């Protein structure tokens, strides 16, 4: 932490506080106490941020209560419906595997077990909001192996399908994702019409 104290998070979901000499002080009362709920932790000037299973991020700030030491200021769950246009977080955000706070402490960058790179605002005004938006840093990505790929003849487009049941169209000139569509089953192959306006997608038992 910024005051030279140390917070250690356990597999059982407990946040343990040590002083700058390495002596154990206490288990923080604000600890969630849920298994694998504190898989990663990052410090900032007001306290620390944790992430764990289920895509749950918790922001802890210093408390004026000496017995409490830290209090949970905010909790954000990444899981949510996907957007066909941007891919959003997609179904099942997975676990939070890494966190990093920007030097200005305005932004939290989040890496997940489903291969997504996301960002969350840590500005005081956004922390106080009941709901906070979690955005992709660049774009959403496949969360598993890519099973099929094709390149458009007349447009700078690539289409991919993966084991995460999504089909995605990428613009390799602008380096952006133009479209993301989730299906109820895995797609194993994809192909562009030469015009670039149509796709054919191969599933285990049909073509669409």
């Amino acid at each position: 932490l910024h005051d030279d104290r140390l917070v250690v998070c356990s597999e059982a979901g407990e946040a343990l506080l040590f002083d700058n000499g390495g002596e154990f002080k206490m288990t923080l009362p604000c600890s969630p106490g849920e298994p694998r709920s504190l898989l990663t932790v990052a410090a900032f000037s007001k306290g620390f941020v944790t992430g764990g299973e289920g895509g749950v991020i918790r922001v802890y700030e210093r408390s004026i209560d000496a017995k409490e030491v830290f209090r949970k200021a905010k909790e954000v769950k990444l899981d949510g419906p996907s957007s066909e246009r941007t891919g959003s977080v997609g179904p099942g955000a997975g676990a939070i595997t890494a966190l990093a706070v920007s030097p200005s402490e305005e932004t939290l960058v989040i890496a997940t077990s489903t291969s997504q790179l996301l960002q969350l605002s840590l500005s005081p005004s956004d922390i106080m909001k009941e709901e906070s938006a979690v955005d992709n840093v660049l774009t959403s990505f496949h969360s598993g192996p890519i099973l099929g790929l094709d390149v458009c003849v007349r447009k700078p487009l690539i289409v991919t399908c993966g084991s995460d049941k999504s089909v995605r169209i990428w613009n390799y000139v602008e380096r952006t994702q133009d479209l993301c569509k989730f299906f109820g089953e895995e797609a194993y192959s994809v192909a562009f019409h030469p015009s670039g306006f149509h796709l054919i997608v191969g599933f285990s038992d049909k073509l669409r």
Side-chain angles (χ1 to χ4, degrees):
L1 300 175
H2 282 238
D3 56 5
D4 291 332
R5 290 185 295 179
L6 179 68
V7 169
V8 177
C9 298
S10 73
E11 178 81 8
E14 295 181 333
L16 313 176
L17 182 67
F18 294 79
D19 66 15
N20 54 13
E23 181 181 349
F24 173 72
K25 288 299 184 182
M26 65 186 299
T27 298
L28 294 175
C30 59
S31 301
E34 302 169 9
R36 296 183 61 79
S37 58
L38 302 177
L39 297 178
T40 181
V41 61
F44 70 118
S45 61
K46 295 181 179 179
F48 60 95
V49 187
T50 66
E53 288 283 5
V56 178
I57 294 171
R58 297 175 174 91
V59 180
Y60 297 94
E61 295 182 350
R62 289 187 186 85
S63 173
I64 58 174
D65 186 344
K67 294 181 179 179
E68 190 178 37
V69 188
F70 291 94
R71 63 177 183 86
K72 185 171 72 175
K74 192 173 189 65
E75 181 173 310
V76 178
K77 186 170 174 60
L78 300 186
D79 202 2
S82 64
S83 163
E84 292 187 9
R85 186 110 194 120
T86 64
S88 188
V89 174
I96 309 298
T97 56
L99 297 170
V101 179
S102 66
S104 66
E105 298 193 345
E106 290 286 319
T107 304
L108 175 72
V109 178
I110 307 150
T112 76
S113 60
T114 57
S115 305
Q116 306 305 311
L117 190 61
L118 310 166
Q119 60 184 356
L120 172 71
S121 173
L122 287 181
S123 66
S125 59
D126 288 326
I127 288 291
M128 294 176 64
K129 291 180 181 177
E130 188 171 334
E131 295 186 4
S132 295
V134 179
D135 303 312
N136 295 297
V137 173
L138 298 172
T139 183
S140 63
F141 302 101
H142 284 289
S143 60
I146 293 174
L147 305 177
L149 180 149
D150 192 30
V151 180
C152 184
V153 175
R154 298 179 184 173
K155 294 185 177 182
L157 300 176
I158 295 174
V159 60
T160 58
C161 62
S163 61
D164 59 356
K165 303 178 182 179
S166 73
V167 173
R168 300 166 189 261
I169 297 176
W170 313 83
N171 186 312
Y172 58 79
V173 171
E174 297 180 1
R175 300 183 180 183
T176 58
Q177 180 177 269
D178 288 354
L179 186 69
C180 174
K181 172 75 173 179
F182 285 93
F183 293 91
E185 58 184 309
E186 290 182 9
Y188 294 97
S189 58
V190 284
F192 265 118
H193 185 279
S195 68
F197 290 110
H198 304 283
L199 280 177
I200 189 165
V201 183
F203 297 91
S204 59
D205 60 346
K206 61 182 175 291
L207 293 172
R208 292 180 61 180

